[in-house]
Amino acid sequence: MDQQFFQVVFSVLSVVAGLGALVLLAGLLPIGPLKRLRRAMRPWALRLGALVAATAMVGSLYFSEVAHYTPCILCWYQRISMYGLAIILVVAAIRRDLAIRPYAIALCGFGLGISLYHYGQELPVGRGAVENFLGRSWWGGTDACGTGVPCSQVWYNRFGFVTLAFSAFTGFLAIFTLMTLGDSNE
């Protein structure tokens, strides 16, 4: 199996995670079936969050250590959040410790912000579905993220919009959504 295979696999997982998070977030609306889905997912939320975080961590390690995609500074900040989430959520899932949710939500918030900013850096003028949708890019990429690899470096772009930063964003969004399932006032 080659890098392109894993790019497609992790891209599909990213799209699935993002769509799943959006469906669960839509469950906050007064739509009966979506609210029931949200309630039905509550017992599985911690385990699914741990699975998403562990999968994202494995994907990150594959792309850097096997495929040799050198992480930029924003990638490192996202890794700090995701690797921490993977560890605490796996331990919490094993112990069935729901008290971990506020800490996971805080790490997700940091990761969401960094990955969204990074995604904007990866999609400078002339690249991707975001520019086509908006008619312009969010903001131009910069090479000023630090020494080494620029944060605007796009290692791959699948389906016209899935990049490594997008994958991180959907992973953080899915975990965030799963961790908030038990806190809704329904």
Side-chain angles (χ1 to χ4, degrees):
M1 289 186 263
D2 63 352
Q3 291 176 19
Q4 290 182 351
F5 171 79
F6 286 104
Q7 290 173 4
V8 171
V9 167
F10 283 102
S11 295
V12 168
L13 289 173
S14 299
V15 171
V16 168
L19 290 175
L22 292 177
V23 167
L24 289 174
L25 286 171
L28 293 171
L29 300 172
I31 301 171
L34 293 176
K35 291 179 90 59
R36 286 191 293 279
L37 176 64
R38 249 181 100 78
R39 281 189 212 113
M41 292 299 295
R42 283 182 184 160
W44 300 97
L46 187 58
R47 286 176 247 165
L48 286 173
L51 180 63
V52 171
T55 302
M57 184 179 79
V58 167
S60 165
L61 289 170
Y62 168 80
F63 286 120
S64 66
E65 301 305 315
V66 177
H68 302 292
Y69 297 174
T70 305
C72 70
I73 191 94
L74 292 177
C75 291
W76 279 113
Y77 294 149
Q78 291 165 81
R79 283 175 171 218
I80 290 167
S81 293
M82 190 60 76
Y83 290 12
L85 280 166
I87 294 166
I88 67 171
L89 288 175
V90 167
V91 170
I94 291 168
R95 296 184 62 184
R96 297 183 179 149
D97 183 3
L98 294 175
I100 199 69
R101 288 184 312 182
Y103 310 109
I105 289 169
L107 279 171
C108 283
F110 179 76
L112 276 168
I114 296 294
S115 59
L116 182 62
Y117 178 77
H118 191 192
Y119 189 52
Q121 293 294 309
E122 285 186 335
L123 296 174
V125 176
R127 288 193 199 155
V130 172
E131 180 189 12
N132 296 336
F133 176 72
L134 296 175
R136 58 181 167 68
S137 67
W138 298 355
W139 47 82
T142 178
D143 292 339
C145 283
T147 60
V149 177
C151 294
S152 58
Q153 170 72 44
V154 178
W155 290 103
Y156 68 85
N157 186 331
R158 293 289 170 193
F159 316 126
F161 65 96
V162 179
T163 66
L164 284 171
F166 179 86
S167 294
F169 178 79
T170 59
F172 286 121
L173 181 64
I175 296 166
F176 178 86
T177 304
L178 289 164
M179 292 302 103
T180 61
L181 286 181
D183 292 337
S184 64
N185 298 320
E186 299 176 32

